[in-house]
Amino acid sequence: MFSEKHKTAGVTYPQGFKAAGVRAGIKKNGNLDVALIHTEKEAAVAGVFTQNLVAAAPVRVSKVVVGTGSAHAIVANAGCANACTGEQGLRDAEKMAELAAKELHCRQDDVVVASTGVIGVNLPMDKMELGIKNAAAELSTEGSVNAGNAIITTDTYSKACATEIQIGGKEVRLGAIAKGSGMIQPNMATMLCFITTDVDIDQKILQSALSEIVEVTFNMVTVDNDTSTNDMVIVLANGAAGNTKISEKNSDYEKFYSALKEMCTELAKKIAADGEGATKFLTVNVHGAENFADAKKVGMAVANSPLVKTAFFGEDPNWGRVICAVGYSGVKISPEKTVVKFGGVPVYAHSVGAKFDDAALKKVMAEHDIAIDIELGIGEVDATVWTCDLSYGYVKINGEYTT
């Protein structure tokens, strides 16, 4: 569904969207660091933001924009989070929106603002101003790749995808770029995700769909149990596809919802797999819980355990660490009913270690993608959490992040 062509197309795959990414000198390494996404046709806007109470200035500004129900643009930078920067930070975030609005001939409250990078540093507004001007001048239908690369920090690559569906005889397209690698733990992650679509949809319904989908996709990702100050997922829907407007939760809505959910799932998995220093992509499937909240608690306890994560880095099938995390998760479980499997191989069953084929398990542990299945046997609800291992690389990256 998500081909290489779609990855390249990204946020400019839907009709009416242009994007750009430029170098403004905000990143120390001189890479692309200012991104701009624009639709001339007014778009319904929806957003979900970090639950960290120390929310960055751009989060505060963008919440106001989403509250208006419509937008024309997203401007974002990497290299500086503009978080914990007080009133000056708020003025700078508002200035970003003002500068972009001037270049794009729209209102300031039509511009979503996002930043990512080091906390506690003020934005270099002289560089930002030039970056926004240059990005506006370079907007094109081929600009998604550069825009995606302009928002990454410790990511090894920019996450992107696109797809299309049929609604009422019209082709409806969706595209996205995202970043996220460290400080990843819902809600949501050090994560920026910008989704564009040319579907015609009521803003309140769009917001409802996004809020629901984030709970079972981006909020099921963890790399290091830290919640960022800057997270946001934004959707712009400009209606250029010409479909009959989706104004209720009907069959057209279900088609769009399914496509949006699949896209967010794909991006969530990419973010987990690209965790800082990661060498393994771990999928924690929890089966047979009494409710979703319990299933998620168990999955997150396992996925956030440094002992579990380091064991998988070392390819050590230390199942005791997994069942230990299940036991302290805060969910009332029954050890006698619980079964744990690594890559389909049972390693713990009904209160004791299971007999397993050493060669088969060794092969599982050597894989890059590994599934950890936890069967609780006390209900009928499942949940999936995505994470990665914890390697020497993670310590190196974060031990030297500001130096």
Side-chain angles (χ1 to χ4, degrees), residues 170-235:
K170 301 290 186 179
E171 182 180 78
V172 170
R173 296 182 174 189
L174 298 90
I177 55 173
K179 65 84 56 178
S181 187
M183 199 180 279
I184 300 289
Q185 155 71 10
N187 303 300
M188 287 163 283
T190 301
M191 191 191 85
L192 301 179
C193 178
F194 306 132
I195 301 169
T196 59
T197 177
D198 50 22
V199 73
D200 194 356
I201 188 170
D202 176 78
Q203 188 273 335
K204 288 185 172 61
I205 290 178
L206 180 64
Q207 181 64 59
S208 174
L210 181 64
S211 296
E212 287 181 16
I213 289 168
V214 164
E215 282 301 308
V216 294
T217 56
F218 295 119
N219 280 357
M220 301 300 283
V221 173
T222 180
V223 167
D224 48 21
N225 200 26
D226 273 348
T227 301
S228 168
T229 54
N230 290 61
D231 311 333
M232 67 175 73
V233 179
I234 299 293
V235 179

Side-chain angles (χ1 to χ4, degrees), residues 24-78:
I26 300 171
K27 283 183 180 176
K28 293 179 181 179
N29 59 14
N31 289 338
L32 301 174
D33 50 20
V34 172
L36 191 61
I37 302 168
H38 178 238
T39 168
E40 285 189 17
K41 184 176 172 61
E42 184 177 79
V45 60
V48 179
F49 301 89
T50 182
Q51 293 183 25
N52 192 319
L53 297 182
V54 186
V59 170
R60 295 167 61 188
V61 169
S62 294
K63 282 184 175 180
V64 174
V65 176
V66 170
T68 70
S70 63
H72 280 272
I74 300 169
V75 60
N77 75 277

Side-chain angles (χ1 to χ4, degrees), residues 216-217 220-221 283-287 292 295-296 299 382-386:
V216 294
T217 56
M220 301 300 283
V221 173
T283 300
V284 184
N285 299 307
V286 181
H287 309 281
F292 181 79
K296 181 177 179 178
D382 303 338
T384 297
V385 172
W386 298 286

Side-chain angles (χ1 to χ4, degrees), residues 19-271:
V22 300
R23 293 175 178 84
I26 300 171
K27 283 183 180 176
K28 293 179 181 179
N29 59 14
N31 289 338
L32 301 174
D33 50 20
V34 172
L36 191 61
I37 302 168
H38 178 238
T39 168
E40 285 189 17
K41 184 176 172 61
E42 184 177 79
V45 60
V48 179
F49 301 89
T50 182
Q51 293 183 25
N52 192 319
L53 297 182
V54 186
V59 170
R60 295 167 61 188
V61 169
S62 294
K63 282 184 175 180
V64 174
V65 176
V66 170
T68 70
S70 63
H72 280 272
I74 300 169
V75 60
N77 75 277
C80 175
N82 191 13
C84 303
T85 47
E87 290 303 313
Q88 182 62 51
L90 189 60
R91 288 194 293 270
D92 290 344
E94 291 171 342
K95 186 66 175 179
M96 282 179 67
E98 179 187 332
L99 291 168
K102 181 180 178 181
E103 296 298 319
L104 301 173
H105 309 292
C106 63
R107 300 190 314 271
Q108 183 175 329
D109 64 1
D110 278 333
V111 182
V112 172
V113 178
S115 297
T116 183
V118 179
I119 292 171
V121 177
N122 288 319
L123 283 171
M125 292 308 295
D126 54 340
K127 295 178 179 179
M128 183 65 71
E129 182 170 5
L130 183 59
I132 291 172
K133 286 183 178 180
N134 289 340
E138 293 187 18
L139 282 171
S140 79
T141 56
E142 307 297 321
S144 184
V145 171
N146 282 349
N149 287 329
I151 62 173
I152 62 175
T153 50
T154 56
D155 308 61
T156 62
Y157 69 99
S158 172
K159 291 81 181 165
C161 58
T163 190
E164 66 280 328
I165 54 176
Q166 292 290 321
I167 293 181
K170 301 290 186 179
E171 182 180 78
V172 170
R173 296 182 174 189
L174 298 90
I177 55 173
K179 65 84 56 178
S181 187
M183 199 180 279
I184 300 289
Q185 155 71 10
N187 303 300
M188 287 163 283
T190 301
M191 191 191 85
L192 301 179
C193 178
F194 306 132
I195 301 169
T196 59
T197 177
D198 50 22
V199 73
D200 194 356
I201 188 170
D202 176 78
Q203 188 273 335
K204 288 185 172 61
I205 290 178
L206 180 64
Q207 181 64 59
S208 174
L210 181 64
S211 296
E212 287 181 16
I213 289 168
V214 164
E215 282 301 308
V216 294
T217 56
F218 295 119
N219 280 357
M220 301 300 283
V221 173
T222 180
V223 167
D224 48 21
N225 200 26
D226 273 348
T227 301
S228 168
T229 54
N230 290 61
D231 311 333
M232 67 175 73
V233 179
I234 299 293
V235 179
L236 296 180
N238 68 4
N243 62 287
T244 299
K245 187 170 186 175
I246 300 173
S247 55
E248 59 181 343
K249 295 185 178 181
N250 53 21
S251 60
D252 288 349
Y253 169 82
E254 293 300 329
K255 287 181 183 178
F256 174 74
Y257 184 98
S258 179
L260 182 60
K261 183 179 178 181
E262 187 170 355
M263 177 171 284
C264 291
T265 300
E266 174 78 2
L267 293 169
K269 291 163 72 173
K270 286 178 181 293
I271 287 168

